[in-house]
Amino acid sequence: MSPNGIRVAFSRFFHRWGPGVGIFVTGSVALWIVLLIVLPQLAMFDASFRFNLPPAEIGGPRDLHTLSNYAALLLDGRGGINWLDLGVLGRTILAAVFVTILDLLLCYPIAFVLAHGTSGGRARLMVLGLIVPFWVNEILRAFAFRIIFGSSGVLNAVGLGLGLWAAPVDFIRQDVALYAGLTYTYLLLMIFPIYNAVEALDRNQIEAARDLGSPWWRVHWRIVIPVAKPGIASGATMVFMLTAGALAAPQILGGPSSLWFTQLIYQWFNEGGNWPRGSAYAVVLLLACILVTLLAMRVFKVRIGEIGR
Amino acid sequence: MSRDVTLEHVTIRFGSHTAVDDAHLTIRSGEFFSFLGPSGCGKTTLLRCVSGFLEPTEGRVLIGGEDMRGVGPNRRPTALIFQNLALFPLMSVAENIAFALEVRGVGRQARRKRAVELLELIALPHVGDKKVYELSGGQRQRVAIARALAAEPQILLLDEPLSALDLKLRQHMRSELRAIQRRVGLTFIYITHDQGEALTMSDRVAVMSEGRIEQVDEPLAVYDHPKTSFVASFVGETNVLPATVTGRDGTDVTLQTDGGLIVQGFAVGRRQYRAGERCQVFVRPEQIKVAPPEPGPNRLAARVLAEEFEGNLRHVSLAVGGSVGGSGGAPAVGALAVGGQPLRMSVVNDGSLPPLQPDAALTVTFDPSVASVLPEGPLARA
């Protein structure tokens, strides 16, 4: 949207709702964006270029800008590359991509059935069934997954009882529990954008494609998915960003060998007491996620405007 | 190549609601066949059943003699043109048209070539690269036809495809559709609530009401010789006279209308009426004439209530009081003998009838052979 377009949109908005509502809405949105998003990010960005000084020395002569925090992530201090932390970053991003794809595979059919396969009461029941479990808070849900996937958990009990496998499988060590937990946590963020996009599709188009000889897979490939694309893009972006930035689920469900990058950030902030170092790590995570998202948008030919739809 | 379609006692129910009740007919190969009826009469349901989106609850659909049960819409030799056309908005016009070929794995070059040919056929040679929304309503209409023809169907099904167009374009598309049908020689099954469309384009028409097929006939026969009260009142304008049979001679029936008129009509389908039986007499407005001086049957004394001028036609509303030669005398205005409705007369505006003043008295008549006598039955709602 051009600056002029934004000005026109604002004046229309004010004209329609009057100055009271206009000032409240624009004011609160601006406050939210500036105070809660832009300023903290800027503060963290600035902090990431500073030394970790005791409070007394902040603002003093030794409070200078430095690249040492970024260097610590990239280099191991002995002239080599810090494969350990970079490896965690890479694995986190890959795992987030994997969870996003898993969510997409799960949610596309659900969203399609919700939009075009059911109606009235059954659709409402389905939505209820999707939403109600999220009344339970995230930590509790993560622990529930531990109970399900633990070595003496429900899944093992069933599997062993039915004789599907002979010895208990450690789903937590295998990261099955982590992926399942993350996938489940962000399910709704994928379903609803896709549902929104697909719902607008005229049913007759699906039938027309069928009538012209299309098998089901091609109806989806040529007719439904192109319509769902903006929804898929915005759902995938949200799921990917939030999965890469998740903390509770990896903390609770992660196997002993798998460290999430957010856990490193958390350690620098809390246990390490090194906010500048943590900030640098957080900035790198944010930039990496944005980069991956932009790359994916380029590959799948999605414009940024479509995500907002 | 085209094929015939046979409906064998097809009944379609949704729960306790019967949408189609025992449809039993054969649509001939290469025929332009219309299902005509008001909305909710089951005609679209029947079409969806032929195209394969619905299976009949009872009975069978045969295409070219083959039972279609269990054959999905993508594997039937039919192509459906939807009421809203359902063109694919994210594809170009050429991609839309070539979609059926793409499905069959036809190569890009061959698809492009066929799309160009079909665009020629519908006289839109240069729109292939446009998006659907860049076309006008009539152009979209023709693109939808081309897209369906690309699938090389043997039967083309059309679900009120003209209803979204304005009047002029609709009339133009009627002759265009008929011309395309003649050119490609396919069986066309056309669904409409617009009798003008059904009568002008079709070889035969099936009139439907509440899930039942009331009459299957050529357009002229449907109009001139309706077999049920519903058909008589749904197709075209008509006057309905509720009456009681007083006598019968072969197919000639003498009746007394509820307004006290004595009239003569003919028994549709050679039905043997008994005296005292309730029935309805249908006479079209254009069959009501100003009576000549010499005596004859069905001479009615009338008073002019109002006249509407419609260019080629003049529509006159009449109050009818009595049969001339009987009780005599012109009726008082407001004494309506035609089931509470004024009798409507349509006259061609050829200068033969002088202008009529309200309240003017005149004698009108109609030939007994155009007065259809049918057993009392439900009428089409206006």
Side-chain angles (χ1 to χ4, degrees):
Chain A
M1 207 188 265
S2 66
N4 199 37
I6 292 172
R7 198 159 55 236
V8 169
F10 264 108
S11 77
R12 273 213 200 112
F13 187 80
F14 269 74
H15 188 77
R16 172 152 181 215
W17 296 100
V21 174
I23 288 169
F24 173 74
V25 171
T26 47
S28 52
V29 169
L31 208 69
W32 180 48
I33 291 175
V34 173
L35 217 62
L36 297 176
I37 298 174
V38 175
L39 288 181
Q41 290 292 332
L42 281 178
M44 204 169 71
F45 189 67
D46 178 65
S48 72
F49 290 103
R50 293 185 184 275
F51 291 105
N52 190 27
L53 298 171
E57 290 187 37
I58 288 177
R62 291 189 57 211
D63 193 357
L64 303 167
H65 284 98
T66 174
L67 288 171
S68 64
N69 294 315
Y70 291 94
L73 170 58
L74 296 172
L75 308 169
D76 64 357
R78 294 187 302 276
I81 297 209
N82 185 359
W83 287 119
L84 202 68
D85 288 2
L86 286 178
V88 172
L89 176 63
R91 269 205 307 280
T92 301
I93 301 256
L94 275 183
V97 169
F98 177 70
V99 167
T100 306
I101 293 171
L102 211 62
D103 257 340
L104 177 59
L105 293 179
L106 273 172
C107 295
Y108 174 79
I110 295 175
F112 179 76
V113 168
L114 207 57
H116 290 285
T118 57
S119 57
R122 244 186 311 168
R124 273 197 294 278
L125 214 65
M126 259 181 92
V127 172
L128 220 61
L130 285 168
I131 290 177
V132 166
F134 287 88
W135 291 357
V136 176
N137 81 56
E138 196 189 342
I139 311 277
L140 222 59
R141 232 173 322 114
F143 275 110
F145 270 81
R146 270 196 91 98
I147 294 170
I148 294 171
F149 286 105
S151 47
S152 58
V154 178
L155 198 56
N156 265 316
V158 172
L160 291 171
L162 291 175
L164 294 176
W165 53 83
V169 179
D170 193 343
F171 291 110
I172 290 174
R173 188 177 286 276
Q174 306 289 337
D175 279 338
V176 174
L178 175 59
Y179 288 126
L182 285 170
T183 304
Y184 189 74
T185 304
Y186 301 114
L187 216 56
L188 294 186
L189 293 176
M190 188 66 99
I191 289 178
F192 286 117
I194 299 181
Y195 170 80
N196 257 341
V198 169
E199 203 214 2
L201 176 68
D202 173 12
R203 260 194 88 78
N204 283 349
Q205 296 204 359
I206 298 172
E207 294 196 337
R210 282 284 287 161
D211 190 61
L212 292 168
S214 242
W216 273 114
W217 67 266
R218 194 187 285 273
V219 172
H220 283 276
W221 183 245
R222 289 290 274 144
I223 310 297
V224 188
I225 290 178
V227 170
K229 210 169 107 178
I232 292 174
S234 70
T237 311
M238 280 195 281
V239 170
F240 171 73
M241 289 285 191
L242 289 169
T243 306
L247 183 62
Q251 202 93 285
I252 296 164
L253 292 171
S257 59
S258 77
L259 202 56
W260 218 249
F261 196 71
T262 47
Q263 288 172 286
L264 285 185
I265 298 172
Y266 181 79
Q267 279 168 15
W268 282 119
F269 270 102
N270 284 35
E271 284 141 47
N274 190 340
W275 283 42
R277 185 66 54 88
S279 299
Y281 276 48
V283 167
V284 168
L285 178 64
L286 180 66
L287 292 179
C289 286
I290 290 174
L291 200 72
V292 171
T293 305
L294 291 178
L295 212 67
M297 282 167 61
R298 172 64 68 83
V299 170
F300 294 108
K301 299 195 180 74
V302 180
R303 274 171 292 112
I304 190 89
E306 289 183 88
I307 289 182
R309 246 188 258 162
Chain B
M1 197 179 87
S2 67
R3 289 205 217 171
D4 56 4
V5 177
T6 301
L7 306 177
E8 257 185 25
H9 298 291
V10 169
T11 295
I12 303 167
R13 287 193 202 95
F14 300 111
S16 61
H17 171 66
T18 304
V20 174
D21 189 3
D22 195 27
H24 188 75
L25 56 89
T26 294
I27 296 159
R28 298 175 201 127
S29 171
E31 189 173 28
F32 198 125
F33 192 95
S34 293
F35 286 97
L36 171 66
S39 58
C41 74
K43 55 192 192 300
T44 298
T45 307
L46 201 51
L47 195 73
R48 289 176 65 77
C49 182
V50 174
S51 62
F53 289 109
L54 270 177
E55 291 284 359
T57 317
E58 284 163 30
R60 299 197 299 170
V61 175
L62 302 150
I63 296 179
E66 277 175 58
D67 189 351
M68 285 291 127
R69 183 163 286 278
V71 179
N74 55 333
R75 293 189 293 123
R76 291 193 184 192
T78 57
L80 175 59
I81 293 177
F82 289 80
Q83 191 164 10
N84 67 355
L85 307 182
L87 293 172
F88 307 132
L90 300 177
M91 297 183 198
S92 73
V93 169
E95 278 181 291
N96 261 283
I97 292 176
F99 185 78
L101 304 175
E102 180 191 326
V103 167
R104 290 179 203 168
V106 174
R108 192 174 292 270
Q109 291 294 324
R111 284 197 324 245
R112 183 78 208 172
K113 189 163 157 283
R114 184 73 182 126
V116 169
E117 283 170 16
L118 283 162
L119 283 167
E120 298 274 344
L121 178 83
I122 57 168
L124 290 173
H126 303 300
V127 302
D129 293 321
K130 289 196 176 173
K131 289 279 185 195
V132 171
Y133 61 81
E134 294 176 284
L135 303 182
S136 71
Q139 290 175 329
R140 280 180 212 184
Q141 188 70 57
R142 285 184 271 173
V143 169
I145 294 166
R147 184 179 72 174
L149 292 177
E152 288 170 10
Q154 284 145 5
I155 294 133
L156 200 63
L157 310 170
L158 303 99
D159 185 6
E160 308 213 20
L162 304 187
S163 55
L165 304 179
D166 59 49
L167 183 67
K168 268 267 167 13
L169 198 51
R170 204 154 63 218
Q171 283 170 344
H172 171 72
M173 283 306 294
R174 279 182 198 171
S175 46
E176 186 129 325
L177 267 180
R178 187 71 228 223
I180 289 173
Q181 194 259 344
R182 291 225 171 90
R183 222 176 308 154
V184 297
L186 298 182
T187 311
F188 272 41
I189 304 182
Y190 194 93
I191 295 289
T192 184
H193 66 272
D194 182 328
Q195 44 176 299
E197 285 177 14
L199 298 181
T200 47
M201 292 191 286
S202 317
D203 293 314
R204 284 192 302 157
V205 179
V207 183
M208 288 186 75
S209 166
E210 294 179 354
R212 266 188 313 281
I213 294 177
E214 299 259 326
Q215 183 170 356
V216 183
D217 246 322
E218 285 162 19
L220 195 65
V222 167
Y223 189 83
D224 282 348
H225 303 290
K227 285 183 181 155
T228 68
S229 297
F230 178 83
V231 176
S233 54
F234 183 73
V235 180
E237 289 284 301
T238 197
N239 292 295
V240 189
L241 291 77
T244 307
V245 175
T246 56
R248 176 172 68 87
D249 177 13
T251 56
D252 297 336
V253 186
T254 310
L255 317 104
Q256 178 166 33
T257 68
D258 292 1
L261 303 175
I262 305 298
V263 295
Q264 289 174 33
F266 77 97
V268 173
R270 304 180 168 278
R271 198 186 135 93
Q272 312 273 305
Y273 287 95
R274 287 170 283 103
E277 201 169 340
R278 293 288 298 160
C279 62
Q280 286 160 330
V281 186
F282 294 88
V283 189
R284 304 239 176 242
E286 67 269 23
Q287 300 288 7
I288 310 260
K289 307 252 159 50
V290 177
E294 52 274 7
N298 295 341
R299 289 172 70 86
L300 309 176
R303 256 180 207 284
V304 175
L305 292 175
E307 177 172 358
E308 269 173 48
F309 176 61
E310 198 200 278
N312 57 337
L313 289 176
R314 293 162 64 185
H315 302 288
V316 186
S317 314
L318 301 165
V320 189
S323 312
V324 177
S327 54
V333 172
L336 303 179
V338 195
Q341 297 289 315
L343 189 73
R344 281 166 302 161
M345 172 171 79
S346 294
V347 188
V348 176
N349 182 25
D350 59 358
S352 59
L353 184 68
L356 295 170
Q357 298 303 321
D359 234 15
L362 73 167
T363 307
V364 294
T365 184
F366 56 88
D367 198 281
S369 69
V370 298
S372 309
V373 179
L374 287 161
E376 209 165 40
L379 301 174
R381 259 160 294 173

